[in-house]
Every structure is written in structure tokens, then in C-alpha cells.
Amino acid sequence: MAGGKPSLRITSASRVTQRCALAVTLAVTSLASLSTVADEIPVASSLPDSVTLSEAVNRHLPELAAPTGIEWPYAFVATQTTRERSRALGERLFFEVRQLAAQARFETQLQRDGLVSWARVLRRSPVAGRQVGRIDPISLWRTPRRDIPLNDNDRLGQCQQDNRIQLWSAIGVRHLEWSSGLTLRQALDGLPDARSNAEHASIITLGGAIFSRGISAWNDQPYTLAPGDRIVVDLPRISAATAWVNHSLPEWLSLQWPGKGCRVVNAISGETQEVEYINSLINVSEPAMPAVENVSGDGTP
């Protein structure tokens, strides 16, 4: 018991206690560091990076259909690619039509007022675009190539039904009230000078299909119009510019959304946006057109 042995034992125990405390401190510090690192690492999103069109329609049908249900002919998909294509084509059309309006000052075959109206609508139209064709489940099942992959830059949409006919002609851009049995001839006969000297017109359907029909005395082709149809009366073929516009304006219109008051849904997140579309930009400063009836004068339908 002599010689200081008790004090040596106390010192040894003290060192063990200190070492244990240090280990505990280091462990706590490490855990705190790991927690900080974990807080800095973003949590993986539960949303997919890509979905097919049919998957997007199934996922976001409630948002797409609200609040009045779904009308498939007025539903569409707007990819980033088609929006960019529509933007580029619309910008080129505006430039060409504006140049033709200037040329009309000394070119009597061109109608300047009508071209100015075209340019006004092109300039004020929203940047948008859609895939041509229907997106309802049955159509996608029948045409699998339309079931394209979508990402966060792509949109689904539905517009409200518009029973008017949209007419681009020598007298400008007009809306005509649609009625059952309305023909292309009746629509043009109801607007004096709409034909000008044109021999053909293009009809763009609600789904984006394009048909060319003869409208002059020698090549008249009967055509019954449907609600939402868009008509472009050809410019006289006096230059490469007018030929290009005759081809490209129907193509641009085929890419535009079908209807008015459209609802757009993000293909991935389902975020919605209400958009008042191109129809609100027509006839802004022009009088409303009366309903078109059989005014051909000869009783011909």
C-alpha cells in the first residue's frame, strides 16, 4: 500500500475516462457532419423525367378535363419542338406578308388591306404549336407512332369549342358563324371580294388536316364546312413569295391550337395554365361579321 500505488491507479482511470469522452465527442461530431451533408443533398424528385403521351393523358386527365369535362377533338399536345417550329414559321410568315403588303402599293393584283390584316394577326398571335392529330386513347392505340415521349418542356391542352369559321382572304381575317350545311361557296359568296382572282383555297380542319379546293367558276369543288375550320384563299401566284405564303400559311394554321380559352397542363408536373388564344386576336378593331346564310342568289347549296 505504500509507495503511491493508489495515486497511479486514479491517474490511469482518469485517462480512460478522458479517452472515452473524446471518442463520444468525435462520434457526435461525425454524426452532425453527416447530417449536415445529408441536408445539403437534394432529395430525389418523385416525378419522372419522361412519359409517353398516353401515360401523360392518363396521369393528368382530371386537370385536363376540369371544370367542364373533356372534348377530345379540342385536346392537343404541344411539344417544345412544335412550339419552336410554329414560332419560326410565324416569324417568317409575318416578314413575307409585311413585304407583300408594301409591294401591294404598286402591284394591283395584291390587296394591301387584306395583307395588313394578315400581318396584324400573325404579329399578335401567341407563340404556340401542337402536334397534328388527336390524342384520345383510342386514336393513340390505333396510331402508336403518335404516342411520343414527353418531358417537362411539353404540354397537354384542351380548348373550348368555337363554332365559328376563320377566313383568311383578300379582305383580311374574318370570323363567320357556322351553321349546319354551310358550304365553302356560301362562306365566300357572303363576303364580296373575298375571292379576288384566286382559283383555290385551303381548308384546315380542327384536327390540322389540310385540303385544297377549287373556288373559281371553272374548277369549283363543293365542300361542306365543319365548326372550327380555317380557310385560306390563295394569293395570286405572281412571285415566289406569294407561292410560299400560299403553302406555308395553311401549315402554320394547322399547328395552331383548336378553339378558344385553352387550358394547358404540364406533361410531367400537371401544373395548369389558362390561355386565351388566337381567336381573341382577330376582329379586335374590325366590326363583327354577320352569320353567313345561303346568299348565292341561285339557290345552290
Side-chain angles (χ1 to χ4, degrees), residues 44-236:
S45 173
S46 59
L47 296 175
D49 294 329
S50 177
V51 294
T52 65
L53 174 54
S54 57
E55 289 172 342
V57 169
N58 289 332
R59 285 167 59 95
H60 304 305
L61 187 59
E63 296 92 339
L64 189 64
T68 58
I70 187 73
E71 292 287 344
W72 290 114
Y74 296 87
F76 61 92
V77 55
T79 66
Q80 183 178 18
T81 301
T82 52
R83 295 200 304 273
E84 291 173 352
R85 177 185 173 196
S86 178
R87 179 203 300 270
L89 189 56
E91 289 175 350
R92 171 75 185 279
L93 276 166
F94 171 71
F95 172 80
E96 295 290 352
V97 170
R98 185 178 60 178
Q99 292 295 101
L100 290 172
Q103 182 181 342
R105 295 180 182 275
F106 54 84
E107 179 56 72
T108 58
Q109 295 186 66
L110 295 174
Q111 303 296 320
R112 181 177 182 276
D113 290 345
L115 290 168
V116 169
S117 176
W118 288 21
R120 182 188 303 121
V121 175
L122 287 165
R123 177 176 59 84
R124 298 175 63 183
S125 295
V127 175
R130 62 161 177 169
Q131 299 289 112
V132 173
R134 294 178 55 139
I135 67 169
D136 56 279
I138 294 178
S139 296
L140 293 177
W141 176 74
R142 289 177 175 174
T143 317
R145 61 182 176 80
R146 291 182 181 169
D147 196 11
I148 57 177
L150 304 177
N151 58 41
D152 192 53
N153 295 318
D154 302 325
R155 308 286 184 268
L156 303 176
Q158 180 185 213
C159 298
Q160 297 175 17
Q161 183 175 356
D162 189 354
N163 283 329
R164 295 176 297 176
I165 304 297
Q166 192 180 107
L167 177 63
W168 298 60
S169 72
I171 61 174
V173 183
R174 297 290 191 273
H175 275 148
L176 310 176
E177 293 297 331
W178 177 84
S179 59
S180 178
L182 178 67
T183 66
L184 176 60
R185 180 178 180 181
Q186 290 172 339
L188 294 175
D189 284 347
L191 294 171
D193 302 323
R195 279 190 182 89
S196 187
N197 296 319
E199 297 180 350
H200 294 85
S202 294
I203 298 96
I204 302 93
T205 69
L206 194 65
I210 301 173
F211 300 96
S212 179
R213 289 292 183 270
I215 59 173
S216 63
W218 68 270
N219 70 345
D220 183 68
Q221 293 176 283
Y223 188 88
T224 301
L225 298 169
D229 279 350
R230 292 158 178 163
I231 305 166
V232 178
V233 178
D234 279 4
L235 297 174

Side-chain angles (χ1 to χ4, degrees), residues 289-300:
M289 298 301 298
V292 175
E293 299 177 352
N294 184 2
V295 292
S296 60
D298 60 1
T300 304

Side-chain angles (χ1 to χ4, degrees), residues 16 26 98 137 224 279 297:
V16 171
L26 290 174
R98 185 178 60 178
T224 301
N279 289 333

Side-chain angles (χ1 to χ4, degrees), residues 6-76:
S7 63
L8 287 174
R9 290 178 180 175
I10 293 173
T11 300
S12 177
S14 175
R15 289 176 179 174
V16 171
T17 302
Q18 290 175 356
R19 290 173 181 173
C20 291
L22 179 60
V24 171
T25 302
L26 290 174
V28 171
T29 303
S30 299
L31 290 174
S33 300
L34 289 173
S35 177
T36 302
V37 171
D39 291 340
E40 293 175 353
I41 298 175
V43 178
S45 173
S46 59
L47 296 175
D49 294 329
S50 177
V51 294
T52 65
L53 174 54
S54 57
E55 289 172 342
V57 169
N58 289 332
R59 285 167 59 95
H60 304 305
L61 187 59
E63 296 92 339
L64 189 64
T68 58
I70 187 73
E71 292 287 344
W72 290 114
Y74 296 87
F76 61 92

